[in-house]
Amino acid sequence: MVQQILLLLLLILNRSFCDDYYELLGLKRTANEKEIRQAFKKIAVNLHPDKNPDDPEAHPKFLKYTTAYEVLKDPELRKKYDLYGEEGLNNDQFGRQNYHSWSYYQDNFGIYDDDPQVVTLNTNDYDDNVVNSEKIWMINFYSPMCSHCHHLAPDWRRIAKDFEGIVRVGAVNCEDDWRLCRRLNIQAYPTLLYYPKNSHHGTRYTSKKTYEKISEFIMEHLDVSIEKITSTKWKKLIKLLDENNKDYYNNDKPLLVFTCGKERNCFDNDEQLKITAMFDNIIDTGIFECNKNNCNKLLETTGAVFINNIKNNDKKNFILFNDINNIDEFVHDVLDQLPEPQDISNDYFNDIKKNLEKNDNENGWLVCFYIGHATDLDLQLKKLPSIITDVNLGKLNCGKYSSLCSNLNINRYPMWGVIKPGGAFELSHGKSTINDVAKFAENSIKAQNVAALSADKIISILKRQNGKEVWFLDWYAPWCPPCMQFLPELRKASMQFKKSVVQFGTIDCTVHADICRRYNIRSYPTAMLINGTTTTQFTNQKTAAGIIEFLNEVVNPTVIKLNKDNYYKTVGRKDDTTLWVIDYFAPWCGPCQQLAPEWTIVAKNLHLLDNVKVASVDCDANGELCRELGVRSYPTIRLYPFGSVGLNQVALFNGQRDSTALMQWITNFFPTKIKNFDEEKLRKNIFNNKSKSKNKKDYWLIDYYAPWCGHCQKLEPQFAIAAQLLKNNSIGFGKFNCDTFGSECNQLGIQAYPTLMLYTPENKRSGIEITSQNAQDIKNNILNLINKNSKLHDEL
Ligand SMILES: *[C@@H]1O[C@H](CO)[C@@H](O)[C@H](O)[C@H]1NC(C)=O
Ligand SMILES: *[C@@H]1O[C@H](CO)[C@@H](O)[C@H](O)[C@H]1NC(C)=O
Ligand SMILES: *[C@@H]1O[C@H](CO)[C@@H](O)[C@H](O)[C@H]1NC(C)=O
């Protein structure tokens, strides 16, 4: 009983301390900025203390709502809140101690929030949308407190409506987004900025802020051209208008010709420019001055002709437009002539997915998720086929199919996703520009073995409920640049592995914040391999090559894993003739994790030598063994040299734990030694004119080096390994320090360090340079040379 009361009390306390901001405002966690603002406005207008003078709690309650709103509307704070809850905000300055008056919320809150044609921009998406855009942008920086701003609003809405698809019209509420406005040096309201196509900086619009003047300005800056069609070209085109003509207009874009002339019904100049701008990059436009003599009879009442091109030939050859009074209808009709982006319904989406799950050699789908009007989007979608091929295109209205969209974690619009052959789904986090979307679609569809995971799937993987499935998981946040760089690398790497070996899953921690928190994912990106009960952290370099190496090492380890069962049977054997070098580690220790990839490199290098073994012991899993062996700190690196029967000899490594230093240390214990040469030895052993004495080697391999040279240090262990591989071949090995014996090296014509020289009986003085850099190649090279030499001998 007491416990129950305590629990209840705790729950109550817990609730009053930790309101869920989304619940408080009645929002889904996927709510976009506009929805957040709209929800808060509703609350503000109803629950404002001014309107509830009798409620003593009205003020503190309203402060809570204000705080929730302040946090959720700020992308940075919202991220932190999503990931770490209120705790994550502790050190931030947030939450107002006061708020605006009731009338502010009633009248002044976000002037353009309800206008579908005006794009509300904020710090987070401003650059992505505006900078280097394929469309012209006009942006209105306003404050809801400024009366001029309200005055301009109806005109600005009209501009947005009338220029939809021609220019992009945006608005920034500087009261809400003062950081962005400060960065752009906005000093007065309203300020209008104009961004030409593909530009990085806006210029200030300085004329009068009226509908007429702003329209004029836009028309002057459209930056498009209309071809003047010559009579010759016109004659050719006319031929194509014959139904029986089998030719097509041979061009990569269709052509739209305005047929104008005296007393003809034709679009005026501005209208022609607008249409041209709207179809920029999709359709070429031209104008032909028509008169009774040169205008085909067919075209007497025609104001425009649409001539299809060869690429688009599943549609009619041409379309004549007689009634061209309404530009919107006209644009609509022209759009109809372009290949359709399909409207995808809930059911159709699922059908596509099911079908692709079964057939992994059919084309994938690129789907655009949108709300509101899709005019702009249709244009963009219709442009895509000219950039990417072999991909189906569709659009899905999230206003209509909201539950599907929320299941797919769509949280802004437009958002692009792919359904891949094999059925995996992935969302793009990059820019919405046509080129970025195309790039994403191509890379993502190819990477059939990468899927964005649903919450259920993640949990079942983490709870090991997936039988034999092996998963490489990438935990990321879309706002973290290293994460966005890692994703394409992951896709690239994934193509090297079959699903039956390992599957790749991505987890967006802003969407699955609960799970990420529960599994204590604290930095992004975090990646790991989950195979049965084993989890292996990915600590390699965050590149495709790094992932491939990591997975290969896990599947086919070069480092031998020792444990309490096999340790004494292998390392301590009495008849053991191998050299062992062993890393005793604990999985949680940072320096151990750093050593791991270096240790793999060491193992790979030494793989060539049958009698050298590189191993590791997990001292967490084999505590008793490590205690028996007296391992007291992690990592401990021990070497049992050749002949250390029963572990009676051991060497400890105390140097820097990188592969180069480790290799240098280990190769010191190799039986075939590399002699340090001086001038005297060089002369005696190699440049000696007398006939061979008994002890002399037939061949000498000398490494000319300088102690300070990095490449020399890299070559050293390779040279040492090569020496072991070549030990049966009557070759002597030496190294010669060109820092100490500079003049000798000069005389010998050594021009770079390191230089490897092979001296044979025939090439005693000049030597033969060996340019290989790794042990295997050095060995092969030298055996080749020696064999050639002995053949020569035999023939002589
Ligand atoms: C997963 O574990 C199994 C059994 O231990 C092993 O055979 C397989 O190679 C592992 N796969 C990967 C990718 O690590
Ligand atoms: C070796 O022979 C060369 C020419 O055959 C001669 O120039 C050189 O002095 C000789 N060196 C020695 C150490 O005898
Ligand atoms: C060297 O010769 C011995 C004896 O003939 C042989 O057992 C060994 O495998 C050879 N080693 C190499 C590296 O060829």
Side-chain angles (χ1 to χ4, degrees):
M1 185 66 194
V2 175
Q3 266 177 357
Q4 275 169 348
I5 294 173
L6 264 177
L7 190 66
L8 197 67
L9 205 69
L10 270 173
L11 282 174
I12 293 167
L13 277 173
N14 204 21
R15 276 219 62 73
S16 66
F17 280 123
C18 268
D19 292 304
D20 183 294
Y21 291 166
Y22 291 93
E23 266 176 44
L24 201 62
L25 300 183
L27 288 166
K28 282 196 219 144
R29 297 194 90 84
T30 52
N32 63 29
E33 200 143 318
K34 196 178 259 187
E35 288 163 348
I36 294 168
R37 298 171 58 79
Q38 283 167 342
F40 180 61
K41 178 171 177 175
K42 217 186 270 168
I43 288 168
V45 170
N46 286 317
L47 302 179
H48 197 281
D50 292 356
K51 286 282 148 184
N52 299 280
D54 300 332
D55 181 359
E57 290 295 305
H59 172 77
K61 264 198 239 163
F62 194 63
L63 266 182
K64 249 197 296 192
Y65 291 118
T66 319
T67 303
Y69 168 67
E70 291 285 326
V71 169
L72 294 189
K73 73 140 212 234
D74 183 312
E76 293 297 320
L77 290 177
R78 183 176 173 188
K79 272 176 230 157
K80 284 189 185 146
Y81 180 75
D82 283 347
L83 289 170
Y84 306 123
E86 228 168 309
E87 268 173 73
L89 306 167
N90 278 346
N91 298 323
D92 286 293
Q93 284 286 313
F94 79 96
R96 286 177 186 264
Q97 291 315 300
N98 51 47
Y99 37 80
H100 296 289
S101 69
W102 180 82
S103 64
Y104 171 84
Y105 295 112
Q106 173 67 16
D107 304 327
N108 295 336
F109 195 65
I111 299 181
Y112 300 104
D113 284 345
D114 298 320
D115 298 297
Q117 285 96 355
V118 179
V119 184
T120 307
L121 295 162
N122 61 53
T123 319
N124 213 27
D125 60 15
Y126 188 87
D127 285 347
D128 278 354
N129 279 293
V130 176
V131 169
N132 208 9
S133 158
E134 285 145 55
K135 283 276 179 195
I136 291 168
W137 274 91
M138 291 289 295
I139 301 160
N140 179 346
F141 295 83
Y142 71 94
S143 157
M145 324 288 250
C146 112
S147 63
H148 287 298
C149 299
H150 283 275
H151 199 74
L152 174 63
D155 281 349
W156 196 248
R157 290 190 187 106
R158 227 178 114 201
I159 294 276
K161 225 181 231 156
D162 291 356
F163 286 88
E164 192 181 10
I166 301 164
V167 297
R168 307 265 281 155
V169 175
V172 175
N173 179 347
C174 288
E175 206 66 34
D176 257 6
D177 230 323
W178 53 270
R179 276 196 216 102
L180 174 60
C181 296
R182 199 163 60 186
R183 170 158 75 83
L184 296 171
N185 200 20
I186 305 298
Q187 291 174 339
Y189 305 127
T191 290
L192 305 183
L193 287 190
Y194 155 76
Y195 282 76
K197 276 193 260 183
N198 303 312
S199 61
H200 286 84
H201 301 287
T203 44
R204 225 151 281 246
Y205 168 87
T206 48
S207 310
K208 247 179 138 177
K209 295 187 181 75
T210 61
Y211 175 83
E212 286 72 24
K213 286 283 170 201
I214 297 171
S215 310
E216 242 171 64
F217 176 87
I218 293 175
M219 290 312 300
E220 279 163 18
H221 289 81
L222 277 186
D223 187 23
V224 289
S225 60
I226 304 177
E227 182 190 355
K228 276 231 183 305
I229 308 277
T230 61
S231 295
T232 329
K233 181 160 184 178
W234 181 245
K235 273 182 202 149
K236 276 189 204 154
L237 291 171
I238 284 286
K239 282 192 194 140
L240 299 171
L241 304 192
D242 183 347
E243 293 280 3
N244 299 320
N245 193 332
K246 291 271 186 293
D247 283 346
Y248 279 101
Y249 175 54
N250 193 359
N251 190 18
D252 63 347
K253 289 175 212 160
L255 178 66
L256 179 66
V257 184
F258 302 110
T259 48
C260 300
K262 250 185 208 154
E263 289 167 41
R264 291 184 68 92
N265 180 19
C266 181
F267 284 120
D268 68 25
N269 235 343
D270 276 5
E271 288 169 326
Q272 288 173 14
L273 280 172
K274 278 186 181 180
I275 293 164
T276 303
M278 218 179 274
F279 292 116
D280 198 15
N281 291 323
I282 322 172
I283 299 175
D284 292 331
T285 55
I287 178 164
F288 182 66
E289 292 291 342
C290 221
N291 60 40
K292 273 212 177 86
N293 302 326
N294 65 10
C295 210
N296 186 295
K297 222 187 198 152
L298 188 68
L299 300 173
E300 258 162 29
T301 54
T302 302
V305 192
F306 176 84
I307 301 166
N308 235 326
N309 64 329
I310 205 152
K311 274 195 184 161
N312 187 16
N313 61 15
D314 55 331
K315 299 261 179 178
K316 277 193 198 165
N317 267 12
F318 65 92
I319 298 283
L320 305 180
F321 293 95
N322 298 321
D323 181 20
I324 52 166
N325 296 318
N326 186 319
I327 188 166
D328 288 341
E329 279 170 21
F330 176 78
V331 165
H332 195 266
D333 292 346
V334 172
L335 272 176
D336 271 351
Q337 298 313 309
L338 298 172
E340 286 307 314
Q342 286 192 57
D343 240 314
I344 296 180
S345 69
N346 197 59
D347 293 346
Y348 192 34
F349 184 90
N350 291 327
D351 286 349
I352 292 172
K353 202 156 179 295
K354 269 195 207 123
N355 179 46
L356 284 175
E357 270 163 23
K358 279 183 258 154
N359 304 304
D360 57 11
N361 43 21
E362 291 198 1
N363 285 345
W365 280 78
L366 172 64
V367 181
C368 182
F369 300 90
Y370 73 101
I371 46 169
H373 293 263
T375 320
D376 228 23
L377 201 66
D378 277 348
L379 281 165
Q380 214 178 0
L381 275 162
K382 286 187 168 186
K383 273 187 195 179
L384 271 166
S386 64
I387 303 183
I388 37 172
T389 48
D390 303 333
V391 175
N392 299 304
L393 287 174
K395 56 180 198 227
L396 193 144
N397 186 343
C398 285
K400 218 159 153 190
Y401 306 107
S402 56
S403 70
L404 173 65
C405 291
S406 95
N407 283 340
L408 294 172
N409 305 315
I410 313 294
N411 54 14
R412 61 189 163 83
Y413 307 101
M415 206 160 174
W416 301 79
V418 295
I419 322 172
K420 313 180 190 191
F425 180 75
E426 220 189 333
L427 282 171
S428 162
H429 297 289
K431 289 189 186 184
S432 255
T433 65
I434 179 165
N435 288 317
D436 285 298
V437 169
K439 200 166 70 187
F440 158 75
E442 270 178 330
N443 294 335
S444 176
I445 284 177
K446 263 193 264 164
Q448 294 182 16
N449 192 4
V450 178
L453 300 177
S454 68
D456 291 347
K457 186 73 194 178
I458 302 166
I459 287 169
S460 78
I461 293 170
L462 293 171
K463 290 194 169 162
R464 317 302 212 249
Q465 292 164 343
N466 287 277
K468 288 213 155 53
E469 286 179 16
V470 182
W471 282 91
F472 185 86
L473 299 182
D474 169 28
W475 309 71
Y476 71 96
W479 45 263
C480 123
C483 300
M484 292 302 101
Q485 284 153 17
F486 189 51
L487 276 175
E489 298 289 328
L490 183 84
R491 293 191 192 111
K492 218 189 291 171
S494 74
M495 289 188 260
Q496 305 292 320
F497 297 91
K498 287 205 185 104
K499 276 189 187 174
S500 55
V501 174
V502 55
Q503 302 181 64
F504 295 78
T506 64
I507 301 163
D508 179 344
C509 281
T510 58
V511 171
H512 303 292
D514 289 350
I515 300 174
C516 297
R517 215 167 19 221
R518 212 171 331 137
Y519 286 87
N520 209 22
I521 305 299
R522 287 258 153 185
S523 69
Y524 307 109
T526 290
M528 57 183 65
L529 182 81
I530 296 190
N531 186 2
T533 51
T534 334
T535 302
T536 317
Q537 294 293 327
F538 172 75
T539 50
N540 278 14
Q541 258 196 318
K542 293 188 172 56
T543 58
I547 298 172
I548 292 168
E549 195 203 295
F550 167 81
L551 288 172
N552 283 337
E553 180 59 29
V554 174
V555 175
N556 200 358
T558 42
V559 175
I560 299 163
K561 305 277 183 288
L562 293 173
N563 55 47
K564 57 184 187 310
D565 298 326
N566 64 10
Y567 191 90
Y568 292 110
K569 286 183 200 146
T570 38
V571 183
R573 262 183 14 225
K574 286 259 179 339
D575 56 347
D576 195 6
T577 56
T578 48
L579 178 153
W580 284 89
V581 49
I582 304 175
D583 163 29
Y584 302 85
F585 72 97
W588 42 260
C589 114
C592 300
Q593 289 166 10
Q594 280 159 17
L595 171 62
E598 299 292 322
W599 201 242
T600 310
I601 296 172
V602 169
K604 284 225 163 86
N605 277 328
L606 294 172
H607 210 53
L608 291 170
L609 300 174
D610 291 338
N611 54 358
V612 175
K613 307 277 187 206
V614 180
S616 65
V617 179
D618 177 347
C619 286
D620 241 17
N622 303 282
E624 203 171 321
L625 175 66
C626 291
R627 269 193 300 279
E628 273 169 28
L629 295 168
V631 174
R632 288 200 189 80
S633 65
Y634 308 119
T636 289
I637 298 168
R638 289 181 180 171
L639 183 145
Y640 303 98
F642 294 106
S644 63
V645 181
L647 308 178
N648 57 4
Q649 283 175 42
V650 63
L652 273 177
F653 180 74
N654 298 315
Q656 208 179 328
R657 290 188 211 97
D658 60 55
S659 55
T660 312
L662 283 160
M663 285 299 294
Q664 276 170 352
W665 177 67
I666 295 167
T667 53
N668 276 333
F669 294 89
F670 287 176
T672 304
K673 298 294 176 199
I674 291 163
K675 297 192 175 101
N676 264 316
F677 269 44
D678 55 18
E679 278 175 288
E680 175 73 13
K681 273 192 189 150
L682 209 56
R683 202 161 38 80
K684 260 200 184 153
N685 285 298
I686 298 171
F687 306 130
N688 181 354
N689 289 4
K690 289 184 205 138
S691 61
K692 284 194 287 182
S693 65
K694 264 187 253 157
N695 250 345
K696 293 274 160 57
K697 300 273 186 190
D698 291 331
Y699 304 94
W700 280 97
L701 185 61
I702 307 292
D703 170 16
Y704 295 92
Y705 75 102
W708 44 261
C709 119
H711 287 295
C712 303
Q713 286 161 21
K714 281 223 179 84
L715 180 66
E716 214 170 278
Q718 297 300 327
F719 184 41
I721 294 168
Q724 311 312 309
L725 291 170
L726 289 164
K727 68 178 176 204
N728 282 0
N729 293 286
S730 184
I731 305 175
F733 302 90
K735 51 197 258 192
F736 193 80
N737 185 340
C738 288
D739 235 20
T740 323
F741 307 108
S743 63
E744 185 74 10
C745 289
N746 256 338
Q747 271 175 27
L748 291 168
I750 305 298
Q751 293 180 332
Y753 309 127
T755 296
L756 271 186
M757 283 295 204
L758 177 73
Y759 297 97
T760 68
E762 289 69 35
N763 274 300
K764 244 185 194 175
R765 273 230 78 88
S766 59
I768 305 164
E769 185 170 351
I770 307 292
T771 51
S772 317
Q773 297 289 309
N774 71 64
Q776 184 74 51
D777 289 352
I778 294 171
K779 177 197 147 188
N780 293 343
N781 233 324
I782 288 188
L783 286 182
N784 263 339
L785 286 166
I786 290 177
N787 287 337
K788 239 190 250 164
N789 243 311
S790 53
K791 256 192 214 150
L792 249 160
H793 259 286
D794 293 349
E795 280 163 21
L796 288 172

